[in-house]
Amino acid sequence: MKQVLIKNMYLLSSVELLYGMTLRGKESRHRSKLVRILNEKVKELGENEIELIKEYTGVDENGNPKRNEQGDFHVGDVFKFRKEQQELLEEEIFIEGEGNMEMIKTVKEILSNYDQEIGGKEADAFDYLCEAFRVDEEDLEEQKIG
């Protein structure tokens, strides 16, 4: 497996799930590397969401999104805003490259061997990460033909 795709909407819950895992050695280091990558993407997503909000609310004299009297963002076209926001959340980030191959392999093994009980949001994130890391698939590159 050379790359992993993760939708923006699963970034934060994936970070929370991975942080909660008790791991040692290489597994812990590679999990931490993935969490650093995901946290950077969470930050970018937040910045993109603020820019989208500003696009639909306009900005006040301080450059912040405009708010109504109740303190909520004053979005003009809510339907169009929600559509664009959903598109942003559906976008996928790519984790790939020679420097990440070992980390991807290790995280796949962590997910495959994880046997702790989880529920709710964490269970959803776990299921999503298992799909993203293709936990139930064999890596054809690693199989020996012979």
Side-chain angles (χ1 to χ4, degrees):
M1 170 181 275
K2 295 182 181 175
Q3 72 176 8
V4 175
L5 304 171
I6 299 177
K7 288 185 179 184
N8 282 336
M9 70 177 64
Y10 290 101
L11 290 174
L12 190 56
S13 59
S14 295
V15 166
E16 292 169 355
L17 170 71
L18 292 166
Y19 262 142
M21 293 180 170
T22 303
L23 303 169
R24 294 178 170 196
K26 179 173 105 171
E27 289 182 342
S28 180
R29 288 191 316 277
H30 287 187
R31 178 260 323 263
S32 295
K33 181 178 180 179
L34 177 60
V35 166
R36 280 191 299 277
I37 291 168
L38 296 180
N39 272 332
E40 187 61 36
K41 297 301 182 180
V42 167
K43 182 180 173 186
E44 285 178 32
L45 175 61
E47 292 167 358
N48 289 335
E49 284 184 311
I50 291 296
E51 289 306 311
L52 183 63
I53 291 168
K54 286 179 179 180
E55 192 177 312
Y56 280 88
T57 64
V59 293
D60 62 19
E61 61 278 352
N62 297 321
N64 296 316
K66 288 184 180 177
R67 295 180 181 265
N68 59 25
E69 290 88 27
Q70 292 80 28
D72 299 322
F73 293 121
H74 182 43
V75 176
D77 187 342
V78 175
F79 178 77
K80 193 171 178 186
F81 169 77
R82 291 283 183 215
K83 183 176 183 257
E84 287 198 41
Q85 184 183 40
Q86 189 61 37
E87 288 174 7
L88 177 62
L89 294 173
E90 291 285 337
E91 287 178 12
E92 295 176 318
I93 64 149
F94 292 85
I95 301 171
E96 59 186 342
E98 292 297 319
N100 292 321
M101 286 179 58
E102 186 68 23
M103 181 263 304
I104 290 170
K105 181 180 172 189
T106 301
V107 172
K108 180 177 178 175
E109 291 171 6
I110 292 167
L111 294 168
S112 181
N113 298 324
Y114 195 69
D115 67 350
Q116 301 297 312
E117 287 186 25
I118 52 175
K121 210 169 60 166
E122 283 187 334
D124 291 339
F126 181 78
D127 181 57
Y128 183 80
L129 285 175
C130 285
E131 287 181 27
F133 280 84
R134 299 185 208 119
V135 167
D136 295 329
E137 295 178 19
E138 293 281 330
D139 283 332
L140 297 177
E141 299 136 10
E142 297 174 10
Q143 293 179 354
K144 292 184 179 179
I145 300 173

